[in-house]
């Protein structure tokens, strides 16, 4: 919306008689689909992390500014029990109570990092493609692995690979692949723990 255009890499002349509009819509759909897949994969990872740590309540160890990038009207439904739906609601409540100091708000607020800076980017009128583009860069900083190699310039090879991609959809797909890999490691840890004899230390 808002008259923004999307670079698709197609023929400039394809826009005559609606061809470019259709191509643009296809590119937009690809980005929104990649954005949805990344959030869904992060959701899975958080559930696995909480299962591994034995948390009965869903803990989300992420900055509130990052959570503000969650689409409020996704182009298709979130997975059942999507953890960020409740997280956004709790952050809105915590921020609303920030000046009232009524009992209980501090407990909610303390479970999030920098909750006072929480802003839902959709409420700012962010174009969905800009929101997805920001996510493609920010999400990668939250998923740094000890296995990452550091280049001579101090930047990880994963980050270099990400920055070399010109397409938002491609960056989102790369981060989704990284999160999926880490989710697999968590699954292995959970399975290993479950396979341990109960009396083993």
């Amino acid at each position: 919306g808002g008259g923004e255009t999307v670079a698709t890499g197609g023929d400039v002349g394809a826009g005559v008689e609606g061809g470019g509009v259709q191509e643009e819509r296809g590119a937009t759909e690809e980005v929104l689909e990649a954005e949805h897949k990344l959030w869904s994969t992060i959701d899975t990872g958080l559930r696995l992390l909480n299962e591994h740590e034995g948390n009965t309540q869903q803990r989300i160890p992420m900055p509130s500014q990052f959570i503000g990038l969650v689409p409020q009207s996704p182009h298709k439904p979130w997975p059942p029990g999507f953890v960020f739906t409740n997280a956004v609601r709790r952050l809105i409540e915590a921020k609303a109570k920030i000046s009232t100091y009524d009992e209980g708000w501090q407990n909610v607020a303390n479970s999030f990092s920098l909750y006072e800076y929480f802003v839902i980017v959709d409420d700012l009128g962010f174009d969905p493609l800009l929101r997805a583009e920001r996510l493609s860069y920010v999400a990668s900083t939250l998923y740094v692995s000890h296995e990452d190699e550091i280049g001579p310039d101090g930047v990880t090879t994963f980050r270099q690979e990400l920055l070399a991609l010109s397409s938002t959809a491609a960056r989102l797909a790369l981060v989704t692949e990284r999160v999926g890999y880490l989710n697999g490691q968590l699954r292995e840890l959970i399975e290993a723990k479950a396979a341990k004899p109960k009396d083993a230390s």
Side-chain angles (χ1 to χ4, degrees), residues 10 12 16 21 30 32 40 60 73 75 81 86 89 98 113 115 158 170-171 175-176 181 186 196:
V12 176
V16 189
V21 173
E30 182 188 9
L32 295 180
S40 299
I60 303 181
S73 300
H75 76 300
N86 191 43
R89 180 184 57 76
I98 205 167
S113 165
Y115 64 91
F158 173 67
R171 284 193 302 273
V175 181
T176 300
Y181 169 72
L186 270 173
K196 256 189 179 179

Side-chain angles (χ1 to χ4, degrees), residues 23 26 45 60 62 69 82 89 96 105 120 122 156 158 170 199:
E23 191 176 349
I60 303 181
M62 291 178 167
L69 290 169
F82 186 63
R89 180 184 57 76
W105 79 271
I120 297 172
D122 282 359
T156 65
F158 173 67
D199 56 348

Side-chain angles (χ1 to χ4, degrees), residues 57-81:
Q57 291 189 326
Q58 291 289 352
R59 194 175 68 84
I60 303 181
M62 291 178 167
S64 62
Q65 302 97 309
F66 176 70
I67 299 171
L69 290 169
V70 175
Q72 297 307 293
S73 300
H75 76 300
K76 68 181 187 183
W78 294 120

Side-chain angles (χ1 to χ4, degrees), residues 21-188:
V21 173
Q22 194 169 355
E23 191 176 349
E24 179 180 324
R25 191 177 296 124
T28 302
E29 187 66 28
E30 182 188 9
V31 170
L32 295 180
E33 183 61 36
E35 179 189 44
H36 190 280
K37 188 172 182 181
L38 175 53
W39 279 118
S40 299
T41 308
I42 292 172
D43 172 71
T44 298
L46 287 170
R47 293 168 195 254
L48 289 167
L49 179 65
N50 281 290
E51 183 182 346
H52 175 59
E53 293 182 347
N55 298 323
T56 52
Q57 291 189 326
Q58 291 289 352
R59 194 175 68 84
I60 303 181
M62 291 178 167
S64 62
Q65 302 97 309
F66 176 70
I67 299 171
L69 290 169
V70 175
Q72 297 307 293
S73 300
H75 76 300
K76 68 181 187 183
W78 294 120
F82 186 63
V83 297
F84 290 103
T85 302
N86 191 43
V88 168
R89 180 184 57 76
R90 289 173 64 207
L91 277 164
I92 290 170
E93 289 173 2
K95 194 171 180 183
K97 294 174 179 176
I98 205 167
S99 58
T100 63
Y101 294 96
D102 61 339
E103 198 170 340
W105 79 271
Q106 190 70 57
N107 291 334
V108 174
N110 285 345
S111 61
F112 294 101
S113 165
L114 302 173
Y115 64 91
E116 65 268 34
Y117 301 116
F118 174 65
V119 175
I120 297 172
V121 296
D122 282 359
D123 289 351
L124 302 178
F126 248 60
D127 181 271
L129 295 177
L130 289 175
R131 178 192 65 212
E133 182 182 36
R134 179 175 285 191
L135 174 67
S136 74
Y137 289 115
V138 175
S140 68
T141 64
L142 299 178
Y143 288 93
V144 177
S145 170
H146 66 278
E147 297 173 7
D148 289 339
E149 292 180 25
I150 307 292
D153 54 359
V155 179
T156 65
T157 50
F158 173 67
R159 186 76 177 161
Q160 287 173 335
E161 189 181 349
L162 185 92
L163 295 174
L165 297 170
S166 59
S167 153
T168 297
R171 284 193 302 273
L172 289 167
L174 183 66
V175 181
T176 300
E177 187 182 314
R178 158 60 61 98
V179 179
Y181 169 72
L182 295 174
N183 287 357
Q185 291 187 318
L186 270 173
R187 277 196 187 91
E188 288 177 12

